Amino acid sequence: MFCGIFCFYPLSGCAEELESKVKEFDENFVIASLCVVEPAETPISCMGHAFLRMQCSTYDMDYCFSYEIMGDDSEVFRFLSGSMTMRFCRIPTDTYYETYRSQKREIAEFELMLPISVKQNLWRILDQKYNNENVVPYDFEKRGCAYSLFCLLNQALDTLELNTEWPAKYEKKTRRELAVEYMGYNTWRETVLSLIFSGSLNDDVNNFEKVIIPGDLADVLAHSTVCGRKVIDMSGRKLPPSHKNEEIWFSPVVAALLLLLLTFICAFLGKPYMTYTLLGLQTIIGCLVLCTLLMCKMPFTEWNWYIIPFNPLPAMLWKWHRIWKVPFGSAILVWIVAMLLAEHRSVDPPMLIFAGAISASYLLPGLIGKLSFSRAKTNQ
C-alpha cells in the first residue's frame, strides 16, 4: 500500500505562505486531488496506494502528501517483525510520480470538489503533519494510506459535514472480507496473508474504519457530498487494475481438494502416506501461525483462528497419537462447522478443506477399521 521513499524535502509551510499573501480566492486557486496507484507484488503494496496532490499554479506549488515506508517495502522480515518504520511525507509531484513511472504502475487522479476554505485548511493540516511528525512505527491500521487520508479530509472539513451514502458492502462485510474481495478469492497471495493477519481484522467496526483500500476511498468519496456537491465525480473514470487476473489453475482450492482426495484414497488402501504428509504440512503452517502470534508486532495479529487446527502439538505428541487423534480430529470437524456457520468469514475455504483433510487422516483409519471388523463379524 506504500512505496519506499528515501528523500524528504525541508520545505517551508506552503499553506501558511499562501494565507499570508492572498486574501480572496477563487475555487481553483488551490486544486486538491486524490490519487490512487495500482497494486504491486509486495505484501505492503498488494492493495495499491493512495496519496493527496495539492497544487497552486499562482505560486508554482505542486506537492504530494502521504505516509511512506522508510526503506524498501519488499523487506518481508522487517515487515513481519514490526521493525519497519514510516513517516508522513511532502514531495514535489514530478519526483513522486517518477517513482511509480519507474515501477510501471498506473496512477488515477481524481480532483476533490471541495470548497476553497476546506482545501486551504487541508493544505495547512498536511503541512503541519509533515513538519511535526517524525519517523513512527509502521502501522497500517492507524496509518494506512486510505484510512489516514480519510481522517485528514474529515479533519479539514472543520464544521462542515461529509454526507456519505455508504455502499452496501460496508454494512455487511468486515475489513478482512473487504480486503479479500479486493485481492481476489482463491489466490495464493490472499491465502498466505490470511495465515498471518486475522485478529481485529475480523471485528465488525464502523464504516469509517473500514476504508482501508485505496480504491475504496475514491469510491466512498464518490458517494459523498459536501454542501450538496459531490466530492468526486467518477463519471467515465476508472480506478487502476487490482491484479485479480493473476489466478492460476492450480489454486489453493484445487490443492486442498487434491490433498483431501489423496487422504481418502490412502485411508481406504490402509496406507499412512497422507497422514505423515499432512502432519508435516500441519506442523509447518502451525509454526508460522504460532510465531506470528507470539513474535509479530503488527496490527491484526492478536489472535488467529488457524491456531486450532494448525499447530505443532500433533508432531510434538505423535508418540501418543493413538490416544489423542480421534478427539483432535473430532475437534477439527467442530471447528470447521463453527467457521462455516459464523456470521462473517474469518478463514479461507481452501484452509477449511485442508483442515478437513487433516481431520479425515485422523478419523478415517479408525472408522474403516471398525467397519471392516463389523463386516467380518457379520460374515462369521
Side-chain angles (χ1 to χ4, degrees):
M1 195 178 293
F2 304 90
C3 71
I5 297 293
F6 299 94
C7 299
F8 306 99
Y9 295 79
L11 305 174
S12 59
C14 306
E16 287 80 355
E17 182 180 347
L18 293 178
E19 281 197 313
S20 65
K21 293 182 178 180
V22 181
K23 298 295 183 182
E24 296 181 357
F25 314 97
D26 62 37
E27 288 294 310
N28 293 319
F29 178 73
V30 172
I31 298 175
S33 304
L34 171 67
C35 302
V36 180
V37 188
E38 74 172 295
E41 298 301 324
T42 62
I44 297 174
S45 302
C46 66
M47 290 192 292
H49 183 46
F51 60 91
L52 290 175
R53 180 183 181 184
M54 306 298 293
Q55 304 171 73
C56 177
S57 58
T58 303
Y59 291 98
D60 194 25
M61 294 178 177
D62 190 352
Y63 300 108
C64 296
F65 296 83
S66 75
Y67 272 108
E68 302 293 338
I69 294 297
M70 302 290 290
D72 189 350
D73 68 349
S74 63
E75 297 180 30
V76 178
F77 178 76
R78 288 181 62 222
F79 173 61
L80 294 177
S81 65
S83 60
M84 190 167 277
T85 56
M86 62 196 310
R87 71 158 295 179
F88 195 77
C89 301
R90 178 180 65 197
I91 303 165
T93 297
D94 288 341
T95 302
Y96 196 66
Y97 270 51
E98 184 56 37
T99 303
Y100 294 108
R101 293 192 189 103
S102 65
Q103 298 173 5
K104 298 181 179 179
R105 294 171 65 185
E106 183 182 335
I107 302 175
E109 188 170 331
F110 305 94
E111 184 177 351
L112 300 174
M113 310 304 292
L114 298 169
I116 184 62
S117 59
V118 175
K119 290 188 283 188
Q120 283 181 271
N121 195 32
L122 176 61
W123 202 330
R124 183 193 312 110
I125 290 169
L126 294 172
D127 276 340
Q128 289 175 347
K129 193 167 185 64
Y130 167 72
N131 289 325
N132 299 333
E133 187 167 296
N134 297 318
V135 175
V136 292
Y138 175 68
D139 183 340
F140 53 79
E141 180 178 20
K142 301 301 182 186
R143 304 186 189 99
C145 57
Y147 177 71
S148 62
L149 294 182
F150 199 23
C151 291
L152 291 170
L153 284 169
N154 275 274
Q155 183 181 348
L157 291 173
D158 196 14
T159 59
L160 298 179
E161 186 177 352
L162 183 72
N163 298 296
T164 303
E165 294 183 8
W166 290 94
K169 65 180 182 180
Y170 289 93
E171 303 293 343
K172 299 177 180 179
K173 299 180 184 293
T174 62
R175 288 177 291 184
R176 182 190 182 281
E177 290 170 317
L178 290 170
V180 169
E181 182 182 80
Y182 179 80
M183 288 189 291
Y185 293 96
N186 193 26
T187 63
W188 288 105
R189 174 191 294 162
E190 185 263 331
T191 300
V192 171
L193 289 176
S194 75
L195 289 173
I196 300 171
F197 300 108
S198 185
S200 56
L201 193 61
N202 296 306
D203 292 349
D204 191 13
V205 297
N206 63 58
N207 291 343
F208 189 92
E209 293 180 86
K210 292 179 183 179
V211 183
I212 61 172
I213 300 169
D216 279 4
L217 176 57
D219 185 39
V220 168
L221 293 177
H223 286 81
S224 302
T225 59
V226 173
C227 299
R229 183 168 58 177
K230 271 192 171 184
V231 177
I232 286 180
D233 184 1
M234 293 185 68
S235 303
R237 306 289 302 281
K238 291 184 178 180
L239 290 166
S242 62
H243 287 186
K244 288 185 180 179
N245 58 347
E246 294 180 350
E247 293 187 31
I248 57 176
W249 73 267
F250 190 66
S251 66
V253 165
V254 171
L257 288 173
L258 182 60
L259 289 173
L260 182 61
L261 176 62
L262 291 174
T263 301
F264 273 88
I265 292 173
C266 287
F268 281 104
L269 293 177
K271 303 296 183 182
Y273 307 138
M274 286 307 297
T275 298
Y276 293 115
T277 299
L278 291 171
L279 178 66
L281 293 173
Q282 180 186 28
T283 304
I284 293 170
I285 295 174
C287 287
L288 171 63
V289 173
L290 187 62
C291 287
T292 301
L293 285 174
L294 297 179
M295 301 173 61
C296 187
K297 299 177 182 178
M298 298 294 292
F300 310 132
T301 58
E302 313 91 346
W303 170 250
N304 195 320
W305 285 109
Y306 285 128
I307 196 63
I308 295 174
F310 301 101
N311 62 76
L313 281 178
M316 296 169 62
L317 303 174
W318 188 250
K319 181 179 178 180
W320 303 278
H321 70 280
R322 296 183 184 277
I323 300 173
W324 56 256
K325 66 178 184 178
V326 172
F328 184 54
S330 301
I332 293 177
L333 281 181
V334 172
W335 177 84
I336 292 172
V337 172
M339 293 297 102
L340 288 173
L341 295 178
E343 181 181 359
H344 296 289
R345 199 177 76 172
S346 301
V347 297
D348 289 348
M351 300 307 293
L352 287 175
I353 299 171
F354 187 9
I358 295 173
S359 177
S361 71
Y362 293 143
L363 297 178
L364 279 179
L367 291 174
I368 294 172
K370 287 181 180 180
L371 288 173
S372 300
F373 179 76
S374 295
R375 286 176 183 174
K377 192 173 181 179
T378 302
N379 292 334
Q380 289 177 359

